[in-house]
Each structure stands twice: as structure tokens, then as C-alpha cells.
Amino acid sequence: MRRRSLLAALCAATLAASGCSGGGDAPAGADPATTLRYAAVGAPAATTNDPHGRVGNEADYLRFAMLYDVLTVLDEQGVVQPRLAESWEPEDGDLTHWHVTLRRDAVFSDGAPVTADDVLFSLRRIQGKGAENNGRLSMFDLEASSARGDHELELVTRQPYAEVGAALASLTFVVPDGADDITEPVPGSGPFVLEEADDTTAVLTRNGDWWGPEGGADRLEITAMPDPAARAAAVASGQADVAGSVAPATAEQYAGGGEVEVVTRPGGVNYPLVMDLETEPFDDPAVREAVKLALDREALVDTVFLGYGEPGADLVAPSEPFAPSAEPIGRDLDRARELLEEAGHGDGVSLTLHATNSYPGMEEAAVLVSEQLAEAGIEARVEVGPPDTYWTEVWNVEPFYLNSLGGNGFVDFSRMALLADGPINETGWNDEEWDADFHTALATPDEGERHALLGDLQQRLADDGGYVVWGLGDGIDLTAPGVSGLPTGPGFHRLRIEQVEVSG
Amino acid sequence: MTRPTGAAPQGAAPRSPGAPLLGPLAALARACLLLVAVSAVVFAATSLLPGDAAELRATPGATPDQVRELREELGQEGPPWRLYADWAAGMLRGDPGTSLVNGRPVLDAVLQRLPATATLVGASLALAAPAMLLLGGWAGAARRGRGTATALLTGGAAVPVAVTASGLAALLSGVLGLVPAVSLLPPGEPPVRHPELLVLPVLSMALPTALFGGGLLAGAVADAASRPHVADARRRGRPLWAIAAVDVLPFLLAPFLRVLAVSAGGLIAAATVVETLFGYPGLGSLLVSSIASRDVPVIQAVAVSAAAVVLAGTALADAVAGGTDPRRRPW
């Protein structure tokens, strides 16, 4: 026994020293099954089995995306593609009644076929947990919606809603009808089935009955790790194949050759300045414009994202297919001072800029922003708050702070944060005309026309709104040698790892 | 055992060693009272933190009504004393409740992680115990327990665990590449099967413990070494190792056991830091993330079991020390 553990320690030491992958592989002599070990963002104690309520861990989302089918997905360009739903067509001219057809070959891991009843039950359950999931699916009137046979359903929206395909994307995990209390895992119909799990690591094996294309690893080991440096170290020392979301500094450490590869997802990180339009001095458009012009966006991107990113043009969702192609806002200190002068702040403005330190680079961003604003005569004192109270005490409360955006499409984000009565309208954006045009856009059946309208809405918000999107950082993942096909598209595209290959 | 038992006033805890039955009972009662006090303090401290589980679980756009509903759903609506009473009643039935974050039994979460932390604390104690005897002996022999040796030990023990751990990781993993920098346990496998993953966390915990224990024992060593029978043995030319083993060590047993018991408590506290740093799935990291999510039943269960371990250790050390103190033996 003693000799065995000594040997094990020696082996491990040698393996670690040579950079090879150590334990965790398939046992010798078994068939050459491939395992993808993914170290994902997540606090183990927050691990949950309920895909519809509050999900705090990316590790959980990753597991749900592999265990459950969703109705539609976004592709690498952000365009909606069918998944469990084969098609979604309006039944009438006013875009409030939608006919959704499900694929017929989807089955749950207990052998039961996936029916319209299961889908409707899941959608209602998601809507019912609105307090925990940002009011997801609130555009649907699910009481008025109904199943039409086993594989068809009619979805009713509260208002004309042309973007139903996008509304059904990504987080519509389908569970069996009647699964009310999901504290333990329930059958899913996704590309993988759960083999075993504790609160830190889940082991998934490929679902032979899945309807989708073959390919990718046979097994997945998803581990929740809160510390970004630990995730990177896990890949570097051969304990994991993928480290999700590491800091730019870590990426730089591995970028200069070596075996660990840096994979970037454009536009994955976004820390906009949030200005509350209902509070002084941000109620004055001149002040807002002065703030936007006072920033040296190139320098911010270089310092905060270490070059892994692009300067921003204040667009909240620049990766949408319909986003306007705007140039990043250049720095103009003279114009900024002039604007402040005109607004009656010739002798300066004093503000407090809030930030929190749980995101890589956010604190640095706040400090640099405050230095740059000072050059234009805006005195912004930085206050860094603890992460566990930031979202209750600063977010949507203070008039000036850094937010972390990403993952939501423009339409969803607008419903929540930009319509005058949106539940999380943190900037106090209240523009009747803008609201009316938003509803008009959603009632426009022609995609080209609708996209033009939505693009225009984004641009108007960028020009006059309270969000200063000074830059877009890349989401950065690390991969071990032999890993290929890691998704790099916008938002929740990164969860679609069922096709990721790993060579034994 | 020559003293009379005596009639202790009712309700008073008899401290005389002559009450062979009442002594352990009183100790048990004292331990239980302390446990209740610990649980009440932990409960009060968690209610003082800003926000509760319902508020942290609700998304920021949720209305106050929705948050209240959520709180009701979680069984967290009501005055704090009621919540505490409910929790205590559950504990008495042996049921620490369900997690407010994922609705699963707290007992499962604790039992799942207990072996990992027990392995860590056990291995650290096993490593630190002989080391602290040696260090204590060395420091006690030098300048009778005062002076630079003891100062070195105390100073070393005062270095925060996080610093020790990061330093060890940088050296053993970063520079020498001997062990992995993180301690991810493959799911469902006991930690003893992966000794290479235990090296960094155990060393990070054992090192400060050994220094701290050595510093505490130095005084006892100096005391024992100054006793007449040691001087006598020295005069008779007994070899140093024999003096240490036969004449000094028996006098160290009682303080040594007490230091070990206190160290166990320190190790549990250190585990919160070390486990979080190395991604090791034990009770310590569970506690840290449960505090972040205000998962009160989990916080309570972990804190009370840690307190129980320390109290049991101290009681055991007291009992053993009382029975083995050479000063009470006729020489």
C-alpha cells in the first residue's frame, strides 16, 4: 500500500514535470474512448440541477446544454438555427400566433419521446421562475398557448413578436412533463447523458440515441472551479483539456508558443460605464457626451484586455447580425471640456465610480477610466465593492458604475433594460418614440426591414443613451494539445461543446 | 485517589478529579452548551451579512413581491429567532435541512466532502505532530524556551496560510514542477488514491501548524528540562536522546495533546483558505462559497461540525492528559 502510493506520487511527479496528462484518463486496456475535461467557471457550492431557476455557474449551464435539448440555437454568426424545434412560422398576419414544429426523433434518456406537452410544460416552468431568471420568456402568453398533437404547438405572444426564433434560443432546456421539483437530475434528450456527478465535477457520456450528428468526445468531465488562475493551471499541468474564461494576463503567459493554446471568442467581455439618465449630472446630454469623448478607448483596451479586444462604439450588442457598423469613438478632450463648460460644469464635476473585483480587469478599468476622465475635468473617485453585494447594492442603485454585459441579444436586452417599463432599466432610458419604434420593429415580418429598424434603434441608443461601451474584450479559453473545435460564437454559443474533438 | 469525593453543591460542575462519573458528564454538558452557543453566534453573524439567500437568488429585476415569494418558498420568511429555532429543532432530529441554493439535503453535501477534509487535516496533523515535538525540543533546549529560536517559530507561525500556500505552490509546482498546482479530485475517488494532489495542501497546512505547536511546546520543554531529575540524569552522564525520551517526554504528553487539539481547530480554519486556493473539494471551500450565497443551513452545518471536532478533541486531550500527567504519579 505504502509502496503503491509512493509509486503513484513518483509517477505523478514525472508526468507533471514532462507536461503529459496524468490521472483521469480512461483506464488502460479499455477501448480508446476520448474524454474532454473542461474546467469551467463556477463555485461548487452553488451547483444546481435545476436548469430553469437561478443558475450561477457556467459549469452548470455547460452541463445543462449537453444534457437537455433546447428549441433553437444561435450559430457562430449569431443567426438562429433549428435544434429541437424544426420550424417556427407565424400563423397570422400580426405575428402573435406561432406554429412550432418539433423534430420527431428526439427521446428522453428514459426512452420516452419528447412531445409538445413536455415543451409546453418546460416553457411554463421557465416563465414561472421569472424572479430567478430575469423574466425569461415573458414575451409569451403561455396560458393561451397549446399543444397541437404530439410534435406541434401553438405559441401565443403578448404582442406582435417577429423574433420568436431568437426568443426560443439557447436557454429553453426541455425536461419531461411533470418534473416540477428538480433538485435531483431528471431525464434529458441532449447529446449526452449523466453518468455520475458531485457538486464539483459531472461526468457525462455520449447519448447513443441523440438525433444529432456524431463526432466529438465520448465523455465529458465538467469541473466547476471559481479561481481563473487555478483553471489555467489545471490545463497547464495536464489535469484538464479546456479552461473556460481566463484573464488576459494568463493568456499572454501562454500565448508565446508552448503546448497550451489560447482560443478567443470575440466580444465576450464588456464592462460598460453605466450612467443613470435620471440623476445629475447625467440627465444632461452634454455631460454624457463629454464622458464618452473623454475616454481613450485604445489605451483602455490595451491596458485592461492586454490587446485581446476592440475599442467600442457604445453599441450594447455589437455582435448582432443587424448591429450598425460604427467606428469606435475617438478621444476629444477639448470638445469634452467645451461640453462641460456649456453644461455649467466649467469648474469640474465630482462623481463616484463603482466597480467590483470579481471580474478580471474590471478594477483596472475603473482606475484608468477615472484617470482619463480627470484630464477632462471630471473627478471620478473609484469605489471597489465586494462581489457578493455588488448586484444588490450598486447595480441599478448607484448612478455611475461598471456593469458586466454579454450573453443577451439586443431584443432581449431592450425588453429588460431599455423599454421605459423594463424591469431592469438601470440607465433610466425613457424615450417614447424609441419604445414605439421597438414595437414596430418586432411587428415587422420582413427580416431585412426589421433588421434595419433594430440597427437604427441600437445606433440611437449609442448616441444618446447611458451606456458607454468603451471596448469589447475577447472571451479567452485555454486548450490542451489535441483539442479542436471549441465554439467561439457570440453569447451562449460557447456552451455548444458537443462537437469538440480531443485526441486520446 | 486518596481525596474524598465530597458533596458537590447541586448544579455545580465538580472540578475535582475525584468525581469519576460526574467529570465526563459535566464536560459533555459543557461541550453541548458551547456547541449551542457557537451555532447561535454563527446564525447571528450570517443574519448580519447584507442580503439573504432569496435576495441573492432573485435576479436584480425581481419585484419585492417576487423576492418575498421566493423567501417563502425557501422557508426563510419569519423572524430570525423562529428560523433559528426551526433549524435547531431539525438538528436535534439529526436533519440539518436542505440547501437554499440547490434544494438538496445539507447532510449529503457535508458527508460528500467530509472525507476530503478529514484526509487533509489528518495528514497535516500526522506530519505536524512529530515536527512540533522536534521543533519544541530544539527551541526549549536553546535558552530555556526564550530567545531567538522561539521567536523564529512564533514569527513563522504568524505568516498567513495563503502566503505559505502560494509560496509553496510557486516553488514546488512552478519552479520545480514536482506536483500539480491545483488539486482537482476526479469525481467519486477518495483523496488517498491521489497522493500527488495532497502534497501542496497538506504542506501548506502542516508547516504553520508545526511552527505554532513547536513554539507553544518550547516552554513546556524548558520547564521539564529544569526539573531536578533531569539535572540528575545529566550529571550521571545519560545520553541526550535518552534524557529526551525518558526524562522529558512524559512531562510533554499533556501539553502536547492540548496543543494538538488546538491545532486541529486551526487546521480546519486553514482548510478554508487552502481548499479554496487549490480547488480542493472539501468542507472548507464549501463553507466559503456557502457564505457567498448566504446558504445558512450549509454554513451552520459546517461550522457546527467543525466546532464539534475541536470540542471533542479538546475533551479527549483533557481526559488523556489528566490520566497520563507524570506529576500525579508517585515517583
Side-chain angles (χ1 to χ4, degrees):
Chain A
M1 182 66 207
R2 184 156 161 223
R3 186 189 281 166
R4 251 191 57 202
S5 51
L6 247 176
L7 266 177
L10 264 176
C11 277
T14 334
L15 281 170
S18 61
C20 295
S21 71
D25 284 3
D31 58 342
T34 53
T35 300
L36 179 74
R37 297 162 304 166
Y38 197 118
V41 186
T47 295
T48 172
N49 281 320
D50 191 336
H52 299 156
R54 165 86 171 160
V55 181
N57 287 344
E58 201 168 297
D60 292 341
Y61 272 134
L62 206 55
R63 174 163 40 96
F64 298 148
M66 293 298 100
L67 293 179
Y68 302 106
D69 268 325
V70 294
L71 290 167
T72 66
V73 287
L74 300 180
D75 66 12
E76 200 146 350
Q77 279 73 43
V79 179
V80 184
Q81 302 291 347
R83 186 89 164 188
L84 189 61
E86 267 176 346
S87 64
W88 49 97
E89 298 292 338
E91 278 185 337
D92 52 3
D94 77 346
L95 302 176
T96 54
H97 288 66
W98 286 74
H99 186 87
V100 178
T101 310
L102 305 175
R103 50 184 322 124
R104 295 169 173 271
D105 49 357
V107 282
F108 287 114
S109 56
D110 62 359
V114 181
T115 66
D117 286 331
D118 300 313
V119 170
L120 202 56
F121 170 80
S122 302
L123 296 182
R124 284 180 179 151
R125 191 168 184 277
I126 293 168
Q127 198 180 56
K129 290 192 173 275
E132 295 178 56
N133 63 27
N134 260 333
R136 211 183 290 162
L137 299 182
S138 63
M139 67 291 277
F140 290 107
D141 183 351
L142 292 175
E143 290 317 307
S145 306
S146 58
R148 296 260 182 90
D150 278 352
H151 295 97
E152 279 161 72
L153 58 154
E154 186 196 50
L155 291 180
V156 181
T157 60
R158 296 189 193 279
Q159 278 169 321
Y161 200 90
E163 294 284 344
V164 158
L168 296 177
S170 303
L171 294 178
T172 45
F173 304 111
V174 174
V175 300
D177 187 3
D180 277 314
D181 178 29
I182 310 187
T183 51
E184 297 302 324
V186 295
S189 63
F192 283 83
V193 286
L194 192 65
E195 188 178 286
E196 61 169 321
D198 56 29
D199 59 9
T200 312
T201 305
V203 180
L204 283 62
T205 49
R206 198 159 268 281
N207 177 5
D209 296 330
W210 192 51
W211 52 266
E214 288 183 18
D218 304 310
R219 281 172 91 245
L220 293 176
E221 273 180 33
I222 301 171
T223 303
M225 294 179 73
D227 184 44
R231 289 195 295 276
V235 169
S237 68
Q239 294 186 6
D241 299 307
V242 181
S245 303
V246 301
T250 315
E252 203 158 67
Q253 197 183 326
Y254 293 104
E259 297 203 301
V260 174
E261 211 172 310
V262 178
V263 179
T264 57
R265 289 175 271 113
V269 190
N270 177 359
Y271 305 140
L273 296 181
V274 176
M275 304 181 289
D276 183 2
L277 274 50
E278 289 168 334
T279 313
E280 276 189 356
F282 302 118
D283 54 350
D284 188 334
V287 173
R288 300 202 293 273
E289 202 186 338
V291 169
K292 290 174 183 178
L293 290 172
L295 298 179
D296 182 346
R297 300 175 186 226
E298 293 273 356
L300 273 165
V301 170
D302 284 346
T303 311
V304 177
F305 300 133
L306 301 177
Y308 288 99
E310 299 285 332
D314 297 334
L315 299 172
V316 287
S319 59
E320 289 281 12
F322 52 75
S325 54
E327 285 294 306
I329 315 291
R331 194 178 204 201
D332 192 340
L333 281 178
D334 292 336
R335 178 73 188 133
R337 280 196 213 96
E338 214 175 283
L339 282 163
L340 286 175
E341 185 100 28
E342 283 168 24
H345 298 291
D347 42 350
V349 189
S350 266
L351 300 165
T352 303
L353 176 62
H354 296 265
T356 182
N357 50 17
S358 67
Y359 297 85
M362 194 193 259
E363 194 177 336
E364 289 89 329
V367 171
L368 191 54
V369 160
S370 126
E371 284 168 11
Q372 293 179 353
L373 290 179
E375 291 173 44
I378 302 171
E379 211 65 54
R381 196 173 59 86
V382 175
E383 201 172 302
V384 179
D388 49 350
T389 52
Y390 193 72
W391 303 105
T392 45
E393 290 179 359
V394 174
W395 186 90
N396 214 354
V397 176
E398 296 290 345
F400 196 38
Y401 57 92
L402 293 192
N403 195 347
S404 170
L405 287 188
N408 282 310
F410 179 68
V411 174
D412 264 347
F413 185 72
S414 301
R415 277 190 318 109
M416 292 187 293
L418 296 169
L419 294 181
D421 56 356
I424 52 172
N425 189 341
E426 56 184 331
T427 54
W429 175 250
N430 185 351
D431 182 340
E432 266 175 48
E433 206 185 318
W434 196 92
D435 285 13
D437 289 350
F438 178 75
H439 292 302
T440 308
L442 282 181
T444 306
D446 181 78
E447 188 179 81
E449 263 175 64
R450 183 169 71 246
H451 279 188
L453 291 170
L454 289 172
D456 178 54
L457 285 166
Q458 269 226 64
Q459 189 59 57
R460 277 151 68 186
L461 177 76
D463 293 340
D464 304 323
Y467 288 102
V468 188
V469 186
W470 49 266
L472 295 154
D474 294 340
I476 307 173
D477 306 327
L478 298 182
T479 60
V483 176
S484 60
L486 204 65
T488 57
F492 291 102
H493 185 262
R494 70 175 183 282
L495 303 178
R496 295 175 55 193
I497 59 168
E498 77 268 6
Q499 298 294 328
V500 176
E501 300 274 355
V502 55
S503 60
Chain B
M1 303 293 130
T2 50
R3 264 190 267 175
T5 317
Q10 267 191 339
R15 294 194 140 262
S16 88
L21 198 68
L22 276 179
L25 272 181
L28 191 68
R30 212 165 41 231
C32 288
L33 268 178
L34 271 170
L35 268 185
V36 172
V38 166
S39 71
V41 168
V42 172
F43 202 92
T46 35
S47 2
L48 286 179
L49 289 171
D52 65 358
E55 264 175 45
L56 288 176
R57 186 160 159 169
T59 49
T63 62
D65 273 347
Q66 283 177 314
V67 176
R68 195 166 42 243
E69 251 170 59
L70 204 56
R71 199 172 283 139
E72 241 161 63
E73 218 174 280
L74 295 172
Q76 295 296 299
E77 186 71 34
W81 63 267
R82 266 287 301 280
L83 298 179
Y84 177 74
D86 288 350
W87 172 83
M91 277 306 263
L92 287 177
R93 289 194 308 270
D95 172 20
T98 52
S99 156
L100 302 183
V101 169
N102 54 33
R104 302 171 84 181
V106 172
L107 199 60
D108 288 2
V110 170
L111 290 181
Q112 183 197 313
R113 282 157 171 271
L114 191 63
T117 299
T119 308
L120 215 56
V121 172
S124 306
L125 266 185
L127 205 62
M132 65 174 72
L133 271 181
L134 287 175
L135 289 170
W138 165 69
R143 308 234 189 137
R144 332 189 72 218
R146 287 180 289 272
T148 38
T150 318
L152 261 175
L153 292 183
T154 323
V159 176
V161 182
V163 175
T164 314
S166 317
L168 283 171
L171 179 70
L172 296 183
S173 173
V175 178
L176 300 173
L178 290 177
V179 286
V182 280
S183 304
L184 287 185
L185 280 184
E189 290 193 26
V192 282
R193 289 198 33 202
H194 299 273
E196 75 279 5
L197 300 180
L198 290 174
V199 173
L200 276 179
V202 166
L203 279 182
S204 314
M205 285 165 57
L207 193 67
T209 309
L211 296 175
F212 167 74
L216 283 185
L217 284 177
V221 170
D223 278 355
S226 66
R227 290 178 89 82
H229 75 276
V230 176
D232 186 48
R234 223 182 242 155
R235 249 178 274 122
R236 282 189 278 122
R238 212 189 243 205
L240 195 62
W241 65 266
I243 295 178
V246 178
D247 301 316
V248 176
L249 199 58
F251 286 89
L252 290 184
L253 210 52
F256 176 55
L257 286 170
R258 291 204 176 97
V259 168
L260 277 188
V262 175
S263 299
L267 282 172
I268 292 171
T272 57
V273 179
V274 168
E275 288 178 3
T276 307
L277 270 176
F278 293 117
Y280 183 85
L283 285 177
S285 48
L286 178 68
L287 180 64
V288 170
S289 38
S290 303
I291 291 174
S293 58
R294 309 288 187 268
D295 200 343
V296 182
V298 179
I299 302 172
Q300 279 285 30
V302 176
V304 171
S305 31
V309 168
V310 175
L311 287 173
T314 325
L316 195 70
D318 277 349
V320 176
T324 55
D325 192 341
R327 268 157 287 200
R328 292 182 39 212
R329 258 183 258 151
W331 285 94

